[in-house]
């Protein structure tokens, strides 16, 4: 499958922290990022995309 | 492979126009989106991400 895992770059020495696995959809919505995974789990994240690396199945976000 | 095709939503009746195929990496850089595909082709796009749908292998951008 071609989903990705979403991480938050916390900028506090913790590095990249796993936020949601098996993500299918991300889109800006109402000033936040709407994120949905293969299992229908949905989250809104108050931040932005830092980097997408599809071959690594990895998307990194940063907080606003 | 888990790359995606990147489209531009042109908002002018043309709908979504293919911009770059087999994209691996996207990241904001110097106020634009840096986009690189599997073959090393690189582009800078002056816009933002509208929607990522990984299962559809599709990323849609909009112009600023």
């Amino acid at each position: 499958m071609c989903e990705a895992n979403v991480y938050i770059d916390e900028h506090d020495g913790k590095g990249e922290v796993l936020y949601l696995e098996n993500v299918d959809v991300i889109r800006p919505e109402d000033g936040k990022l709407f994120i949905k995974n293969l299992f229908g789990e949905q989250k809104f994240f108050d931040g932005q995309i830092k980097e997408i690396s599809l071959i690594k199945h990895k998307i990194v976000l940063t907080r606003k």
Side-chain angles (χ1 to χ4, degrees), chain A:
Chain A
M1 296 297 289
C2 288
E3 74 285 356
N5 293 329
V6 170
Y7 299 82
I8 312 300
D9 183 357
E10 292 287 4
H11 293 302
D12 60 358
K14 288 181 192 163
E16 296 169 354
V17 178
L18 184 63
Y19 182 69
L20 189 61
E21 290 180 296
N22 303 115
V23 167
D24 173 22
V25 172
I26 301 180
R27 65 169 172 264
E29 203 172 295
D30 300 328
K32 297 190 177 186
L33 290 175
F34 168 78
I35 303 168
K36 188 175 74 170
N37 74 7
L38 286 186
F39 312 112
E41 194 177 350
Q42 302 182 2
K43 290 188 175 189
F44 282 91
F45 180 74
D46 193 13
Q48 52 213 0
I49 293 168
K50 180 185 176 192
E51 181 159 24
I52 299 168
S53 304
L54 295 178
I55 303 306
K56 294 180 187 169
H57 296 255
K58 184 176 180 179
I59 296 175
V60 181
L61 311 180
T62 53
R63 296 186 187 279
K64 268 186 185 164

